[in-house]
């Protein structure tokens, strides 16, 4: 069985107290690796290593930081097959799908932030007061404590460390307790191009993450995870006023108006709803369909669900298993509690013909706005469909959740699309598409979906601080 270690200060280390736990392959339900469960001593060592690394990295020029990230991206690209093999064993995802759909954007995101490192923006220097020249310095924040989720392990790690390191910060990153393999792998790869201590990875559980966030050295805490985890981080960070960056859950409304092409919309929405087994905060999971298009759309969506396949790393499939036993139980719980007013039109069952946490692609109709499957994030291969009567009702239902991450509108009416985009209370509004992301545009939400942005120059700026310098030029 493979043995993982923390990567701290440029070297591998076991947990100080020797605690470990087994990692489970979700495609087989069998253990395949042993990973440390880091305690407070390990967190302290990592934070101190990061503080030491920051002292040199903060003085690296933008071009030096940019060059380091470009070299990291090239090295990952050269070893992409190795990376994806490790990722798929840890997540159960289909290999080729992961290679095609996750590696290219992840590499592009590193290269984007390599460019961003050389574009430090601020107000023009000038004499805003007579006899004095003012200028703006954009500086790194310091040591950044980062916590990443299990749905896209290596990509979510990149979303965290790439802007932070590009801006001149040092990182202590704790990956999810179920999916640390590729994050540790990346840390070792990156050590060839970065000073010791700039990139540190500690494995562990919820207690490890809590210890990292409350440690006194990090100046910023950034997490992608559940709403509960985000609230815990915000409360803990408040004790010493750390900067906080939260990318949390979602419950994306997908509004299909009567003038939309039902078949084309159903095909695209199924792809965006079932991708990664629906384990995506922006998944197209909550459809609102107009009264005249509803029947045709639902029929088309059911056919799409029936043609969608699930399978393991070495299979050609549309998505893999759910990530872990707890998530599998959570998805099953939602479907076992489907109210009498609702109807499961496709799927609805676990795949029992094989081992692993596999679940059928599912369509549920007839739910009321107050039902838990409408209000709560399922994070599984489940798409719900509601019927609406008019634009105002669609808007009201779309916004009537605690989340505010992503949404989409499907219509041929440009004016209607722009009205909806203005009034939807979500950080992203797609029009006649759903789920594409680009490095140049921000990703982040409102309400219980958190605050702060990943990707884009907005995400880069979140990892910087602004200093005003004023000089008396007449003294």
């Amino acid at each position: 069985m493979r043995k993982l270690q923390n990567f701290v200060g440029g070297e591998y280390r076991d947990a100080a107290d020797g605690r470990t736990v087994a990692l489970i392959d979700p495609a087989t339900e069998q253990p395949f690796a042993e990973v440390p469960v880091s305690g407070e001593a390990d967190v302290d060592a990592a934070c101190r290593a990061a503080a030491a690394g920051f002292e040199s990295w903060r003085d690296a020029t933008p071009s030096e930081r940019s060059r380091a990230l470009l070299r990291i991206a090239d090295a990952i690209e050269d070893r992409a097959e190795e990376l994806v093999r490790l990722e798929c064993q840890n997540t159960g995802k289909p290999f080729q799908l992961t290679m095609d759909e996750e590696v290219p954007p992840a590499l592009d995101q590193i290269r984007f932030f390599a460019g961003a490192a050389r574009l430090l923006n601020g107000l023009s220097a000038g004499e805003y007061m007579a006899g004095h020249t003012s200028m703006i310095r954009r500086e790194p924040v310091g040591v950044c404590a980062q916590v990443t989720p299990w749905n896209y392990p290596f990509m979510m790690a990149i979303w965290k460390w790439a802007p932070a390191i590009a801006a001149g910060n040092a990182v202590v990153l704790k990956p999810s307790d179920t999916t640390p393999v590729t994050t540790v792998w990346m840390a070792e790869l990156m050590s060839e191009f970065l000073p010791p201590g700039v990139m540190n990875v500690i494995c562990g559980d919820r207690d490890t993450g809590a210890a990292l966030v409350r440690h006194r050295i990090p100046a910023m805490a950034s997490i992608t995870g559940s709403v509960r985890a985000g609230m815990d981080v915000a409360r803990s960070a408040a004790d010493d006023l750390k900067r906080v960056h939260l990318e949390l859950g979602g419950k994306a409304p997908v509004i299909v108006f009567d003038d939309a092409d039902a078949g084309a919309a159903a095909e695209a929405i199924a792809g965006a709803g079932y991708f990664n087994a629906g384990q995506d905060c922006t998944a197209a999971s909550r459809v609102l369909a107009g009264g005249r298009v509803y029947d045709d759309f639902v029929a088309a969506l059911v056919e799409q669900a029936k043609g969608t396949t699930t399978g393991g790393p070495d299979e050609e499939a549309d998505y893999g298993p759910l990530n872990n036993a707890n998530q599998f139980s959570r998805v099953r719980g939602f479907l076992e509690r489907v109210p009498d007013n609702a109807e499961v039109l496709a799927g609805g069952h676990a795949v029992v013909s094989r081992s692993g946490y596999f679940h059928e692609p599912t369509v549920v109709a007839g739910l009321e706005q107050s039902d838990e499957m409408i209000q709560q994030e399922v994070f599984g291969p489940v798409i719900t469909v509601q019927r609406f009567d008019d634009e105002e009702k669609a808007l009201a239902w779309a916004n009537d959740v605690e989340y505010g991450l992503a949404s989409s509108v499907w219509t041929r009416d440009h004016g209607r699309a722009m009205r909806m985009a203005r009034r939807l209370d979500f950080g992203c509004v797609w029009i006649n598409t759903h789920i594409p992301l680009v490095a140049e545009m921000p990703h982040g939400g409102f309400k219980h979906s958190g605050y702060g942005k990943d990707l884009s120059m907005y995400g880069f700026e979140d990892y910087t601080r602004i200093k005003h310098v004023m000089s008396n030029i007449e003294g």
Side-chain angles (χ1 to χ4, degrees):
M1 185 180 293
R2 181 186 295 120
K3 180 181 178 182
L4 272 68
Q5 296 173 284
N6 295 330
F7 196 85
V8 174
E11 63 183 17
Y12 280 114
R13 303 184 189 181
D14 291 325
D17 63 7
R19 283 199 301 151
T20 63
V21 67
L23 292 180
I24 304 300
D25 181 343
T28 64
E29 301 179 61
Q30 297 300 311
F32 73 94
E34 187 178 81
V35 62
V37 181
S38 302
E40 293 198 6
D42 306 298
V43 170
D44 184 64
C47 289
R48 291 182 184 278
F54 176 65
E55 288 305 311
S56 63
W57 189 242
R58 69 187 301 176
D59 294 328
T61 65
S63 66
E64 290 169 336
R65 297 198 299 269
S66 177
R67 189 160 53 248
L69 262 69
L70 290 172
R71 288 172 173 169
I72 290 168
D74 290 346
I76 292 174
E77 188 168 37
D78 289 342
R79 297 172 62 184
E81 183 171 345
E82 179 185 354
L83 167 68
V84 175
R85 289 291 178 200
L86 293 171
E87 185 85 340
C88 291
Q89 184 175 36
N90 203 173
T91 63
K93 297 182 184 186
F95 172 85
Q96 197 59 51
L97 185 68
T98 306
M99 180 71 83
D100 294 343
E101 297 294 336
E102 296 186 34
V103 172
L107 294 173
D108 183 63
Q109 289 149 12
I110 299 172
R111 289 167 176 146
F112 171 82
F113 285 115
R118 307 182 73 158
L119 295 172
L120 301 173
N121 296 321
L123 294 173
S124 297
E127 290 65 52
Y128 296 92
M129 176 183 288
H132 297 77
T133 296
S134 287
M135 67 176 185
I136 293 294
R137 291 181 56 87
R138 186 177 289 277
E139 300 178 339
V141 172
V143 173
C144 298
Q146 301 181 324
V147 179
T148 53
W150 44 252
N151 56 337
Y152 298 103
F154 77 81
M155 186 185 291
M156 293 298 98
I158 287 168
W159 284 24
K160 295 301 182 193
W161 63 251
I165 291 175
N169 301 286
V171 166
V172 181
L173 193 156
K174 190 204 84 68
S176 167
D177 56 345
T178 66
T179 56
V181 175
T182 50
T183 306
V184 174
W185 179 91
M186 273 194 292
E188 180 189 21
L189 178 148
M190 293 166 67
S191 68
E192 181 181 346
F193 309 101
L194 299 172
V198 174
M199 178 65 177
N200 307 275
V201 174
I202 52 171
C203 304
D205 55 16
R206 184 181 301 177
D207 292 338
T208 308
L212 175 59
V213 171
R214 68 172 175 262
H215 196 281
R216 301 298 291 183
I217 286 178
M220 178 176 177
S222 176
I223 178 176
T224 297
S226 68
V227 174
R228 175 202 54 75
M231 289 179 173
D232 287 346
V233 166
R235 278 190 288 266
S236 179
D239 288 341
D240 63 350
L241 296 179
K242 282 182 174 63
R243 183 181 294 196
V244 178
H245 182 285
L246 305 174
E247 198 276 277
L248 309 177
K251 193 67 182 176
V254 180
I255 306 171
V256 182
F257 283 97
D258 287 328
D259 63 342
D261 182 321
E267 181 179 2
I269 290 164
Y274 297 134
F275 185 78
N276 201 37
Q279 297 169 127
D280 189 309
C281 296
T282 65
S285 60
R286 181 168 64 103
V287 178
L288 308 171
R292 293 196 304 277
V293 78
Y294 179 89
D295 289 340
D296 289 343
F297 174 82
V298 168
L301 183 63
V302 167
E303 288 305 307
Q304 289 293 327
K306 291 177 179 178
T308 299
T309 58
T310 181
D314 296 323
E315 300 173 58
E316 291 189 9
D318 296 308
Y319 64 85
L322 295 166
N323 181 261
N324 55 76
N326 288 339
Q327 185 59 23
F328 181 81
S329 296
R330 175 179 170 82
V331 173
R332 292 302 311 140
F334 275 105
L335 290 166
E336 289 163 1
R337 296 189 301 272
V338 168
D340 292 340
N341 53 279
E343 183 180 4
V344 177
L345 300 178
H349 304 287
V351 177
V352 297
S353 59
R354 61 186 299 167
S355 60
Y357 306 125
F358 294 93
H359 200 283
E360 295 177 340
T362 299
V363 177
V364 182
L367 289 159
E368 301 291 341
Q369 183 66 17
S370 59
D371 288 335
E372 67 166 355
M373 202 176 289
I374 297 297
Q375 293 295 321
Q376 299 299 317
E377 186 174 36
V378 178
F379 223 58
V382 179
I383 299 175
T384 65
V385 190
Q386 297 168 272
R387 184 196 301 263
F388 69 84
D389 299 325
D390 56 45
E391 186 175 314
E392 288 302 314
K393 176 62 70 67
L395 181 69
W397 281 359
N399 287 336
D400 181 29
V401 291
E402 293 184 335
Y403 303 95
L405 184 57
S407 59
S408 64
V409 178
W410 300 75
T411 181
R412 293 185 175 95
D413 185 330
H414 178 73
R416 172 189 283 151
M418 292 296 98
R419 289 195 301 274
M420 297 297 290
R422 181 173 64 88
R423 298 179 65 189
L424 281 165
D425 199 11
F426 296 84
C428 175
V429 180
W430 287 292
I431 297 172
N432 295 324
T433 188
H434 193 110
I435 224 168
L437 295 172
V438 292
E440 295 83 358
M441 290 291 113
H443 175 81
F446 311 140
K447 302 189 290 188
H448 281 195
S449 292
Y451 44 82
K453 299 297 182 185
D454 288 316
L455 305 178
S456 78
M457 289 303 296
Y458 298 101
F460 177 76
E461 290 171 359
D462 279 354
Y463 287 95
T464 67
R465 65 185 190 182
I466 299 298
K467 179 183 289 183
H468 169 218
V469 178
M470 177 181 273
S471 176
N472 183 339
I473 60 175
E474 295 183 351

